[in-house]
Amino acid sequence: EDEEGNDEEYQQRENATGEKSTDEEEKEEKANLDQSSEADKSAEEEEKRREEEALKLKEQEALKKLEEEHKAEQERMAKERKLREEKRRKRLEERKRREEEEEERNRRKKKAEEEEAAKKRAEAAAAAKKEEAERKRKAKELEAAAAKRREEAKRKAREAAAAARKEAAEKAERKQKAEEEERRQNNAKKAQKKVAADKSWRIAQFSRSTRSERDLEKKAQLIMAMGFKDEERVMQLLRQTNGDVSEAVERMSSSSSSSSSSPQEETS
C-alpha cells in the first residue's frame, strides 16, 4: 500500500512537471529517485519495523499463550491439588468417621460389657441376698426345730419327772408296806425270840464247853438256822460274847430291830 501510494504521488508529480525541461526533469527524476529510494528505504525500515513489531507481537502472543498455558497448567495443577486435597480431606474425614464409628462401637461395646457386668453383679448380689435369706430361713427353721426339740425335751423331762415322782411315791408306798410287813415279821421274830432264848440257854451250856473256831462255826450255823442270815455278823457276836449263843442271838435281834426301825423313821 505504501509503494502504491508512492507511485501515484510520483505519477502526479510527473504529470505536473511535464512541461519542464529535460534537465529539470532529470534532476527532478533523480531527486524523485532519491526520494523514492529514501521512501523505499523508509518503507523497508517500516516493513522491518512492522515485521519486528509483528514478530514481537507474535512473541508476545506466544508468551501470552505460554503464560495462559502456564496459568491453565497452574489452574489444572491447582484443581488437581485441590482435588487431591479434597480427596485427602475426604479420606481423612472417612478415616475420622470410621475411627469415630469404631470408637462409638467400642464405647457401646464397653457400655454393654459394663451393663452386662453390672447385671451379673446385680444378679450375683441378688443370688447372694437370696442365699442369705434362704440361710436365715433355714437357720430360723433349725432354731425353731431346736426350740421345738427343747420344748419336747422339757415336756418329756416334766413327764419323766412326774413319772419319777409317781414312781417314787409308789416306791415309798411299797416301802411303807414293806416296813409294815417287816414290823409284822419282827413281831413274829420277837415271838420266836423267846423260843430261841430257851433253845439258846440249852445251847449255851454246850457253847461254854469249847471256844474253838469250829464250835463257833457250829454255833453260827445254829443261830443262822434260827433265821439270821448275816454269818459274818453272827461270828463277830459269838467272838464278842465268848461263844454265848443266847447273848449273840439277843444282840442280833436288837440289831435287827434297830435297823428295821430306822428306815421307818426316815419314811415317816
Side-chain angles (χ1 to χ4, degrees):
E1 289 176 358
D2 291 337
E3 288 177 357
E4 289 176 357
N6 291 330
D7 290 341
E8 288 177 359
E9 184 180 355
Y10 177 74
Q11 188 68 34
Q12 288 174 1
R13 283 195 304 269
E14 194 175 62
N15 290 332
T17 60
E19 64 268 2
K20 290 181 178 180
S21 63
T22 305
D23 293 334
E24 289 177 358
E25 288 178 358
E26 289 177 359
K27 288 181 181 179
E28 188 175 353
E29 184 178 356
K30 187 178 180 180
N32 288 332
L33 288 173
D34 292 335
Q35 189 177 0
S36 176
S37 177
E38 289 178 1
D40 290 338
K41 189 177 180 180
S42 297
E44 288 177 0
E45 289 177 355
E46 183 68 20
E47 182 69 20
K48 188 178 180 181
R49 185 183 62 80
R50 288 178 180 179
E51 288 178 357
E52 288 177 355
E53 288 179 355
L55 183 61
K56 189 176 182 180
L57 182 60
K58 287 180 180 180
E59 289 177 354
Q60 288 178 353
E61 288 176 355
L63 184 61
K64 185 177 181 181
K65 187 178 181 181
L66 288 172
E67 288 177 353
E68 288 176 354
E69 289 177 354
H70 181 67
K71 186 177 181 181
E73 182 68 18
Q74 285 183 343
E75 289 177 355
R76 185 183 64 79
M77 291 176 66
K79 287 180 180 179
E80 289 179 354
R81 187 168 56 252
K82 187 176 181 181
L83 185 61
R84 287 196 300 271
E85 289 292 330
E86 185 68 19
K87 288 181 179 179
R88 181 172 174 274
R89 184 181 63 79
K90 286 182 179 180
R91 286 197 301 270
L92 290 174
E93 288 178 353
E94 182 66 19
R95 187 171 66 184
K96 185 177 180 181
R97 184 183 62 80
R98 288 196 299 269
E99 288 176 354
E100 288 176 352
E101 289 177 354
E102 183 67 21
E103 186 178 356
E104 181 66 18
R105 283 195 299 271
N106 292 332
R107 187 183 64 79
R108 289 179 180 176
K109 184 179 179 181
K110 186 177 180 180
K111 185 177 180 181
E113 289 175 353
E114 289 176 354
E115 289 176 354
E116 184 67 21
K119 185 178 179 181
K120 287 182 180 179
R121 287 195 298 272
E123 289 177 354
K129 189 175 181 181
K130 185 177 179 181
E131 186 178 355
E132 182 66 18
E134 184 68 17
R135 188 183 63 77
K136 288 182 179 179
R137 184 184 65 79
K138 287 183 179 180
K140 286 182 180 179
E141 288 178 356
L142 291 173
E143 187 177 356
K148 187 176 180 180
R149 287 195 296 272
R150 287 194 297 271
E151 289 296 327
E152 185 68 18
K154 288 180 180 179
R155 183 183 64 78
K156 288 182 179 180
R158 288 194 296 269
E159 290 177 356
R165 287 194 296 272
K166 184 178 179 181
E167 185 178 358
E170 290 176 353
K171 187 176 181 180
E173 186 178 357
R174 287 194 300 271
K175 187 176 181 180
Q176 186 177 2
K177 289 180 180 179
E179 288 175 353
E180 290 176 356
E181 181 66 22
E182 188 177 358
R183 281 195 297 272
R184 286 194 296 271
Q185 289 178 1
N186 288 333
N187 292 330
K189 286 179 180 179
K190 286 180 181 179
Q192 292 174 358
K193 192 183 292 184
K194 292 180 180 180
V195 176
D198 293 337
K199 289 181 179 180
S200 63
W201 182 80
R202 288 191 295 271
I203 294 168
Q205 299 299 323
F206 175 76
S207 62
R208 289 191 186 96
S209 63
T210 179
R211 297 179 183 277
S212 66
E213 189 69 20
R214 187 174 179 181
D215 292 340
L216 291 177
E217 289 178 358
K218 289 179 179 180
K219 291 177 181 179
Q221 289 178 0
L222 181 62
I223 294 171
M224 289 176 67
M226 296 178 185
F228 300 102
K229 304 297 182 182
D230 192 354
E231 183 178 359
E232 184 178 353
R233 178 65 176 162
V234 170
M235 290 296 293
Q236 184 180 2
L237 290 173
L238 285 171
R239 290 189 185 94
Q240 290 177 358
T241 58
N242 294 322
D244 191 343
V245 176
S246 300
E247 190 175 353
V249 169
E250 186 175 355
R251 290 185 182 183
M252 284 290 294
S253 298
S254 61
S255 176
S256 298
S257 299
S258 61
S259 62
S260 62
S261 62
S262 296
Q264 185 178 359
E265 289 175 359
E266 290 176 359
T267 305
S268 60

